[in-house]
Amino acid sequence: MTEKRIILEMGTGNDLYGQDYTKAARRAVQDALHHSSITLFAKLGIDHSEMRVDVTIGVQQPEAVDCDLVAQDLPRGRASVRAVMGGLNVEDAEAGTRHVVATAAIEAWLPDQAGKYKTSVQK
């Protein structure tokens, strides 16, 4: 079945003192989610379970992200999360700490809806 990407949202998150890549990733996902409101499901009678959600997290240590925990933060759809090299570490050499910045891209996909709906002209 052919799918079409219907949403692409971006977000950023950080953990300034805990140096926790998963916490920064979760905050980035929440930031992206707060940028959108998807009314098309209710308007068109599409079940949320039809939506596939792909999340890409960019951090400097991708292996340190608990992708399963990040996926639990997604309220709808069938989620998959992967972490890749990206984001930013801001080192504070004097304090011996690292501030972690993560970026998130959330893509939502639905089965192609072409031909299922007709537009109507109101007179």
Side-chain angles (χ1 to χ4, degrees), residues 42-53:
K43 301 292 183 189
L44 298 179
I46 298 171
D47 190 287
H48 284 101
S49 66
E50 292 187 53
M51 180 174 59
R52 179 171 56 91
V53 181

Side-chain angles (χ1 to χ4, degrees), residues 73-85:
D73 290 338
L74 296 160
R76 306 264 192 277
R78 301 176 321 275
S80 68
V81 177
R82 69 186 180 109
V84 300
M85 182 59 120

Side-chain angles (χ1 to χ4, degrees), residues 10-101:
M10 267 61 98
T12 59
N14 61 66
D15 187 17
L16 296 178
Y17 301 105
Q19 303 174 41
D20 186 322
Y21 290 91
T22 299
K23 184 183 283 185
R26 293 176 78 187
R27 288 175 174 171
V29 166
Q30 287 302 312
D31 181 50
L33 290 174
H34 286 101
H35 292 168
S36 64
S37 175
I38 310 167
T39 61
L40 100 114
F41 292 96
K43 301 292 183 189
L44 298 179
I46 298 171
D47 190 287
H48 284 101
S49 66
E50 292 187 53
M51 180 174 59
R52 179 171 56 91
V53 181
D54 292 332
V55 178
T56 304
I57 302 292
V59 291
Q60 288 292 297
Q61 291 184 15
E63 68 282 356
V65 176
D66 182 339
C67 292
D68 293 332
L69 188 58
V70 174
Q72 291 176 18
D73 290 338
L74 296 160
R76 306 264 192 277
R78 301 176 321 275
S80 68
V81 177
R82 69 186 180 109
V84 300
M85 182 59 120
L88 177 68
N89 284 346
V90 180
E91 305 289 339
D92 184 344
E94 185 177 310
T97 60
R98 172 186 314 126
H99 307 293
V100 174
V101 181

